[in-house]
Amino acid sequence: MHKVVIIGSGPAGHTAAIYAARANLSPVCVEGLVKGGVAGGQLMITTDVENYPGFPEGIEGPKMMELFKKQSERFGTEIISEDVETVDLSQRPFKLSTDSQEILAESVIIATGASARWLGIDSEQALQNRGVSACATCDGFFFRNQDVAVVGGGDTAMEEANYLAGLCSSVTVIHRRDELRASKIMAKRALDNPKIKFEWNSHVVEVKDVDKGEVTGIVLEDTRNGDQRELKVQGLFIAIGHTPNTEIFQGQLQLDENGYIVTKPGTTQTSVEGVFAAGDVQDHVYRQAVTAAGTGCMAAIEAERWLAAQEG
Ligand code: NDP
């Protein structure tokens, strides 16, 4: 039986682990392999992190996660390198199962994150981090005074386009329909911005140039007649939504209509007492390493206080 079990090993999970370990709660962190992938969350697929305070020269995403992990191990966090396959949050102690073991927990901190959705074309994958990105706040700076495109028609796409318009020479929004899904106010802001152009009824079918190892343009296909044309850009931002990693919690915790875990405002408390959620799994708005770390810290402090109240 463990006092605190943390699921996930991105900035939220490891920050929760550092705080829980330093509070003498001997946390276990099930770091997750995300089905054959790597532990550590979205920063593992990021090249340079330049907006995390304390690293004035920037730091590579995977290096940063190595340091997070080292710090949580230094204070005694036990790391389990498996995925949690099923959870039972209907009674205490909570029960978590991996492929090889069952784990009992008095409290649980969920920090399983979210995954960016991708178009799913080969050239997009080949050029990820070489001009193709899913986060303008993270990578926009590398495309200062260059031409970029944003794929998507929702609030995220409009937000990314507006942010990039402040840095780049031009931004072209590529949307598969002729009507935006974004809220009126976000859409208007983008439509009124003279630096932002729109390519309606268009799909990206290829990102060029895989041989050069950098983005030089994209091939667009008209969804109505299949006509193809090329647009020269140096950066491509995919903003077609994120999927929170909450499948295993469905039916056990309150989720919002997009699958994100609902937490009580200003806290990390979920709909089940003793279960806390931190980072992108409960945040579709900020989605930053530093905010994830902040809520990871909150979750550990709340778990500690909740455990103390149970004992008292
Ligand atoms: P959405 O699901 O709202 O929008 C996704 C967009 O991507 C849609 O326009 C969709 O097209 C398009 N799309 C999806 N799949 C593909 C594909 N395979 N190829 C091409 N285009 C595709 O996701 P968002 O991330 O924009 O928003 C998620 C939630 O977060 C929303 O509730 C949003 O309101 C909220 N949010 C709020 C913000 C704010 O208030 N500041 C900021 C950001 C997000 P189609 O329209 O045709 O389906």
Side-chain angles (χ1 to χ4, degrees):
M1 167 81 93
H2 300 281
K3 282 189 181 314
V4 184
V5 174
I6 297 154
I7 314 175
S9 58
H14 277 305
T15 305
I18 292 163
Y19 274 76
R22 289 174 53 81
N24 262 344
L25 296 175
S26 312
V28 169
C29 173
V30 189
E31 66 174 355
L33 297 168
V34 197
K35 297 289 169 217
V38 285
Q42 293 180 79
L43 285 188
M44 297 302 285
I45 53 160
T46 308
T47 42
D48 290 319
V49 181
E50 293 191 329
N51 56 9
Y52 200 94
F55 296 92
E57 309 301 330
I59 180 166
E60 287 175 6
K63 179 72 194 166
M64 177 176 237
M65 290 327 299
E66 191 187 313
L67 296 176
F68 267 82
K69 183 171 173 177
K70 234 186 214 165
Q71 194 169 349
S72 59
E73 283 179 319
R74 179 182 157 208
F75 296 109
T77 303
E78 181 190 335
I79 309 271
I80 297 179
S81 301
E82 285 188 280
D83 279 323
V84 171
E85 300 292 345
T86 59
V87 295
D88 181 357
L89 305 176
S90 64
Q91 52 187 20
R92 299 209 293 260
F94 303 118
K95 244 186 248 162
L96 289 68
S97 304
T98 69
D99 270 346
S100 73
Q101 58 188 307
E102 190 165 85
I103 302 165
L104 296 179
E106 285 178 48
S107 71
V108 173
I109 296 175
I110 301 170
T112 48
S115 309
R117 279 188 222 137
W118 298 97
L119 299 173
I121 49 179
D122 292 344
S123 49
E124 167 198 55
Q125 207 186 350
L127 291 167
Q128 231 177 65
N129 280 324
R130 297 196 171 108
V132 176
S133 163
C135 178
T137 323
C138 319
D139 298 330
F141 194 71
F142 303 119
F143 301 94
R144 286 186 316 281
N145 305 320
Q146 300 186 22
D147 300 308
V148 299
V150 175
V151 185
D155 279 338
T156 302
M158 296 310 108
E159 200 168 63
E160 306 265 90
N162 277 305
Y163 178 80
L164 291 166
L167 295 168
C168 304
S169 306
S170 79
V171 180
T172 306
V173 174
I174 319 287
H175 186 34
R176 62 183 178 184
R177 294 187 290 138
D178 61 1
E179 195 189 340
L180 294 172
R181 175 179 296 278
S183 55
K184 291 273 178 300
I185 183 161
M186 305 275 287
K188 184 172 180 336
R189 210 174 290 155
L191 289 162
D192 288 349
N193 190 321
K195 270 195 171 173
I196 303 177
K197 291 175 289 185
F198 285 79
E199 290 283 351
W200 304 103
N201 303 303
S202 300
H203 261 311
V204 177
V205 289
E206 191 191 341
V207 190
K208 290 190 161 175
D209 186 320
V210 175
D211 289 341
K212 282 193 181 151
E214 62 183 81
V215 173
T216 58
I218 49 180
V219 179
L220 298 179
E221 188 177 274
D222 193 305
T223 54
R224 296 159 302 185
N225 54 25
D227 282 356
Q228 295 200 346
R229 62 202 183 283
E230 197 176 326
L231 182 72
K232 290 212 178 316
V233 291
Q234 289 84 52
L236 178 64
F237 289 84
I238 312 297
I240 59 173
H242 286 75
T243 307
N245 301 318
T246 52
E247 305 90 90
I248 55 172
F249 309 111
Q250 264 164 26
Q252 308 210 44
L253 287 176
Q254 190 189 345
L255 307 178
D256 72 11
E257 67 279 10
N258 296 314
Y260 288 85
I261 295 177
V262 175
T263 50
K264 199 169 143 204
T267 77
T268 62
Q269 290 166 36
T270 69
S271 57
V272 172
E273 225 190 279
V275 179
F276 305 85
D280 287 12
V281 75
Q282 52 85 53
D283 165 30
H284 64 76
V285 179
Y286 301 105
R287 293 200 296 250
Q288 300 301 300
V290 69
T291 49
T295 51
C297 160
M298 286 166 65
I301 291 175
E302 286 171 34
E304 183 205 350
R305 290 182 184 162
W306 181 80
L307 287 165
Q310 302 305 300
E311 282 164 18

